[in-house]
Amino acid sequence: AQKITQTQPGMFVQEKEAVTLDCTYDTSDPSYGLFWYKQPSSGEMIFLIYQGSYDQQNATEGRYSLNFQKARKSANLVISASQLGDSAMYFCAMREGPIGGTSYGKLTFGQGTILTVHP
Amino acid sequence: DGGITQSPKYLFRKEGQNVTLSCEQNLNHDAMYWYRQDPGQGLRLIYYSQIVNDFQKGDIAEGYSVSREKKESFPLTVTSAQKNPTAFYLCASSIGGTSGGYEQYFGPGTRLTVT
Protein backbone atom coordinates (compact mmCIF):
# COMPACT_ATOMS: atom_id res chain seq x y z
CA ALA A 1 0.00 0.00 0.00
CA GLN A 2 1.14 3.53 -0.72
CA LYS A 3 2.36 5.28 2.38
CA ILE A 4 1.79 8.75 0.95
CA THR A 5 -0.96 9.41 -1.57
CA GLN A 6 -1.41 12.62 -3.50
CA THR A 7 -4.50 12.14 -5.64
CA GLN A 8 -4.31 15.39 -7.62
CA PRO A 9 -1.79 15.12 -10.47
CA GLY A 10 -2.44 18.77 -11.38
CA MET A 11 -4.24 21.75 -9.88
CA PHE A 12 -5.05 25.19 -11.26
CA VAL A 13 -5.72 28.32 -9.23
CA GLN A 14 -6.29 31.97 -9.99
CA GLU A 15 -3.75 34.42 -8.65
CA LYS A 16 -4.66 35.74 -5.17
CA GLU A 17 -7.01 32.86 -4.46
CA ALA A 18 -6.45 30.04 -1.97
CA VAL A 19 -5.78 26.45 -3.01
CA THR A 20 -5.70 23.14 -1.13
CA LEU A 21 -3.37 20.31 -2.12
CA ASP A 22 -4.41 16.92 -0.80
CA CYS A 23 -2.25 14.37 0.99
CA THR A 24 -3.26 11.19 2.77
CA TYR A 25 -0.85 8.92 4.58
CA ASP A 26 -0.73 5.43 5.98
CA THR A 27 1.23 4.40 9.06
CA SER A 28 0.69 2.31 12.15
CA ASP A 29 3.39 4.17 14.06
CA PRO A 30 1.93 6.57 16.65
CA SER A 31 4.88 8.92 16.24
CA TYR A 32 5.50 10.42 12.81
CA GLY A 33 6.08 13.68 11.02
CA LEU A 34 4.58 15.14 7.88
CA PHE A 35 6.34 17.54 5.53
CA TRP A 36 5.52 19.55 2.45
CA TYR A 37 8.15 20.50 -0.12
CA LYS A 38 7.98 22.70 -3.20
CA GLN A 39 9.96 21.85 -6.34
CA PRO A 40 10.17 24.62 -8.96
CA SER A 41 11.13 23.81 -12.53
CA SER A 42 14.80 24.37 -11.61
CA GLY A 43 14.67 21.15 -9.59
CA GLU A 44 15.68 22.10 -6.07
CA MET A 45 13.46 20.97 -3.22
CA ILE A 46 12.30 23.72 -0.86
CA PHE A 47 10.99 22.86 2.59
CA LEU A 48 7.65 24.56 3.32
CA ILE A 49 6.05 23.24 6.48
CA TYR A 50 6.17 20.47 9.09
CA GLN A 51 3.54 18.82 11.30
CA GLY A 52 4.33 16.36 14.07
CA SER A 53 1.82 13.65 14.92
CA TYR A 54 1.51 14.88 18.50
CA ASP A 55 1.22 18.56 17.63
CA GLN A 56 -2.09 19.86 18.90
CA GLN A 57 -2.38 22.75 16.49
CA ASN A 58 -2.17 22.88 12.73
CA ALA A 59 1.19 24.15 11.50
CA THR A 60 1.38 27.51 9.75
CA GLU A 61 4.25 29.24 7.94
CA GLY A 62 3.36 32.52 6.32
CA ARG A 63 0.93 31.81 3.47
CA TYR A 64 1.22 28.06 4.04
CA SER A 65 -0.87 26.11 6.50
CA LEU A 66 -1.27 22.41 7.03
CA ASN A 67 -4.79 21.08 7.61
CA PHE A 68 -3.98 18.07 9.80
CA GLN A 69 -6.82 15.61 10.35
CA LYS A 70 -5.30 12.76 12.29
CA ALA A 71 -8.32 10.46 12.36
CA ARG A 72 -8.64 10.74 8.59
CA LYS A 73 -4.87 10.45 8.13
CA SER A 74 -4.79 13.51 5.96
CA ALA A 75 -2.35 16.42 5.88
CA ASN A 76 -3.52 18.85 3.24
CA LEU A 77 -1.48 21.92 2.33
CA VAL A 78 -3.36 25.19 2.05
CA ILE A 79 -1.74 28.06 0.17
CA SER A 80 -3.48 31.37 0.70
CA ALA A 81 -3.34 34.33 -1.69
CA SER A 82 -1.62 32.38 -4.48
CA GLN A 83 1.18 34.06 -6.40
CA LEU A 84 2.56 33.33 -9.86
CA GLY A 85 5.76 32.16 -8.18
CA ASP A 86 3.83 29.40 -6.43
CA SER A 87 3.61 27.49 -9.73
CA ALA A 88 5.64 24.35 -9.05
CA MET A 89 5.45 20.67 -8.11
CA TYR A 90 4.46 20.07 -4.48
CA PHE A 91 5.38 16.95 -2.55
CA CYS A 92 4.00 15.56 0.68
CA ALA A 93 6.40 13.39 2.70
CA MET A 94 6.33 11.40 5.94
CA ARG A 95 8.88 10.36 8.54
CA GLU A 96 7.79 7.32 10.53
CA GLY A 97 8.95 6.88 14.09
CA PRO A 98 10.00 9.42 16.68
CA ILE A 99 12.68 12.01 16.28
CA GLY A 100 15.98 10.41 17.22
CA GLY A 101 14.60 6.95 16.61
CA THR A 102 15.89 4.28 14.30
CA SER A 103 14.13 5.77 11.28
CA TYR A 104 17.03 8.27 11.17
CA GLY A 105 14.79 10.87 9.60
CA LYS A 106 14.07 8.82 6.48
CA LEU A 107 11.32 10.35 4.41
CA THR A 108 8.79 8.68 2.12
CA PHE A 109 7.50 10.97 -0.64
CA GLY A 110 4.23 11.07 -2.53
CA GLN A 111 4.02 11.37 -6.32
CA GLY A 112 3.49 15.11 -6.22
CA THR A 113 0.93 17.63 -7.46
CA ILE A 114 1.72 20.18 -10.15
CA LEU A 115 0.23 23.55 -9.23
CA THR A 116 -0.30 26.17 -11.91
CA VAL A 117 -1.23 29.71 -10.88
CA HIS A 118 -3.02 31.73 -13.54
CA PRO A 119 -2.80 35.55 -13.63
CA ASP B 1 26.50 30.89 3.02
CA GLY B 2 25.51 27.54 4.51
CA GLY B 3 24.08 24.98 2.22
CA ILE B 4 24.48 21.86 0.13
CA THR B 5 26.38 21.78 -3.11
CA GLN B 6 26.13 19.13 -5.78
CA SER B 7 28.33 19.00 -8.80
CA PRO B 8 28.09 18.91 -11.67
CA LYS B 9 24.57 20.10 -12.50
CA TYR B 10 24.51 18.02 -15.70
CA LEU B 11 26.48 14.84 -16.28
CA PHE B 12 26.72 12.66 -19.35
CA ARG B 13 28.22 9.19 -19.40
CA LYS B 14 28.46 6.21 -21.69
CA GLU B 15 26.79 2.99 -20.70
CA GLY B 16 29.08 0.67 -18.76
CA GLN B 17 30.99 3.44 -17.02
CA ASN B 18 30.87 4.13 -13.30
CA VAL B 19 30.20 7.74 -12.35
CA THR B 20 30.50 9.53 -9.02
CA LEU B 21 28.19 12.37 -7.99
CA SER B 22 29.48 14.85 -5.47
CA CYS B 23 27.56 16.16 -2.44
CA GLU B 24 29.04 18.54 0.11
CA GLN B 25 27.33 20.34 2.99
CA ASN B 26 28.56 23.01 5.41
CA LEU B 27 25.51 22.96 7.66
CA ASN B 28 27.23 20.74 10.24
CA HIS B 29 24.45 18.21 9.78
CA ASP B 30 25.00 14.64 10.93
CA ALA B 31 22.62 12.91 8.53
CA MET B 32 22.87 12.85 4.75
CA TYR B 33 20.71 11.23 2.09
CA TRP B 34 20.65 10.42 -1.61
CA TYR B 35 17.41 10.36 -3.61
CA ARG B 36 16.59 9.54 -7.18
CA GLN B 37 13.78 11.25 -9.08
CA ASP B 38 12.40 10.07 -12.41
CA PRO B 39 10.31 12.38 -14.64
CA GLY B 40 6.93 13.20 -13.12
CA GLN B 41 7.64 11.04 -10.09
CA GLY B 42 8.35 11.46 -6.40
CA LEU B 43 11.70 10.95 -4.73
CA ARG B 44 13.00 7.49 -3.87
CA LEU B 45 15.67 6.94 -1.22
CA ILE B 46 18.91 5.33 -2.40
CA TYR B 47 21.22 5.51 0.62
CA TYR B 48 21.41 7.43 3.87
CA SER B 49 24.03 8.03 6.51
CA GLN B 50 23.57 9.03 10.11
CA ILE B 51 27.24 9.41 11.07
CA VAL B 52 30.68 9.28 9.53
CA ASN B 53 31.78 5.82 8.36
CA ASP B 54 28.25 4.46 8.60
CA PHE B 55 25.48 4.26 6.01
CA GLN B 56 22.39 2.21 5.26
CA LYS B 57 20.61 1.11 2.11
CA GLY B 58 17.43 2.83 1.17
CA ASP B 59 14.61 1.51 -0.99
CA ILE B 60 16.53 1.34 -4.28
CA ALA B 61 20.20 0.78 -3.40
CA GLU B 62 20.99 -1.83 -6.06
CA GLY B 63 23.58 -0.58 -8.53
CA TYR B 64 24.71 2.29 -6.28
CA SER B 65 27.43 2.72 -3.68
CA VAL B 66 28.32 5.47 -1.22
CA SER B 67 30.99 6.46 1.26
CA ARG B 68 30.98 8.77 4.28
CA GLU B 69 34.59 9.44 5.22
CA LYS B 70 33.93 13.03 6.27
CA LYS B 71 30.92 14.60 7.95
CA GLU B 72 30.48 17.15 5.19
CA SER B 73 30.78 14.81 2.21
CA PHE B 74 28.59 11.96 0.94
CA PRO B 75 29.50 10.99 -2.65
CA LEU B 76 27.30 8.61 -4.62
CA THR B 77 28.70 6.24 -7.24
CA VAL B 78 26.36 5.02 -9.94
CA THR B 79 27.85 1.74 -11.08
CA SER B 80 27.51 -0.07 -14.39
CA ALA B 81 25.25 -2.54 -12.57
CA GLN B 82 22.49 0.08 -12.31
CA LYS B 83 20.07 -0.91 -15.08
CA ASN B 84 18.49 2.47 -15.70
CA PRO B 85 20.77 5.18 -14.32
CA THR B 86 19.41 8.17 -16.24
CA ALA B 87 17.61 10.29 -13.65
CA PHE B 88 17.75 13.40 -11.48
CA TYR B 89 19.76 12.82 -8.29
CA LEU B 90 19.19 14.87 -5.16
CA CYS B 91 21.33 14.97 -2.07
CA ALA B 92 19.92 16.12 1.28
CA SER B 93 21.01 16.58 4.87
CA SER B 94 19.32 16.99 8.23
CA ILE B 95 20.40 17.57 11.81
CA GLY B 96 20.10 13.85 12.47
CA GLY B 97 22.06 12.31 15.29
CA THR B 98 20.33 11.60 18.56
CA SER B 99 18.16 14.64 18.12
CA GLY B 100 16.72 13.16 14.94
CA GLY B 101 15.93 16.45 13.38
CA TYR B 102 13.08 17.76 11.37
CA GLU B 103 13.27 18.89 7.80
CA GLN B 104 15.81 17.79 5.24
CA TYR B 105 17.64 20.42 3.25
CA PHE B 106 18.32 19.62 -0.38
CA GLY B 107 21.05 20.43 -2.84
CA PRO B 108 20.32 21.69 -6.38
CA GLY B 109 20.56 18.19 -7.86
CA THR B 110 22.56 16.51 -10.63
CA ARG B 111 20.87 15.44 -13.83
CA LEU B 112 22.61 12.28 -15.07
CA THR B 113 22.17 11.05 -18.62
CA VAL B 114 23.63 7.70 -19.64
CA THR B 115 23.64 6.72 -23.30
Side-chain angles (χ1 to χ4, degrees), chain B:
Chain B
D1 264 68
I4 301 174
T5 56
Q6 291 185 244
S7 59
K9 191 172 178 65
Y10 299 95
L11 192 53
F12 298 89
R13 280 292 182 270
K14 294 288 188 186
E15 197 174 321
Q17 292 179 335
N18 290 356
V19 59
T20 297
L21 281 58
S22 164
C23 177
E24 304 277 331
Q25 55 99 359
N26 60 4
L27 299 167
N28 200 32
H29 284 170
D30 288 310
M32 296 187 74
Y33 313 80
W34 273 106
Y35 293 91
R36 169 185 172 132
Q37 185 179 28
D38 292 288
Q41 301 294 312
L43 279 64
R44 291 184 290 168
L45 183 64
I46 304 173
Y47 268 98
Y48 61 104
S49 168
Q50 186 72 353
I51 56 173
V52 173
N53 292 323
D54 186 53
F55 47 82
Q56 286 79 39
K57 293 181 179 180
D59 300 319
I60 55 165
E62 186 175 347
Y64 300 97
S65 66
V66 293
S67 62
R68 187 86 186 275
E69 296 177 2
K70 298 186 295 183
K71 185 176 183 177
E72 57 271 19
S73 178
F74 191 41
L76 173 75
T77 297
V78 185
T79 74
S80 56
Q82 167 52 231
K83 299 294 182 211
N84 187 17
T86 295
F88 186 51
Y89 291 87
L90 285 155
C91 177
S93 71
S94 67
I95 295 172
T98 54
S99 67
Y102 293 95
E103 66 271 21
Q104 293 181 13
Y105 295 91
F106 283 80
T110 292
R111 207 166 291 277
L112 173 65
T113 302
V114 177
T115 56

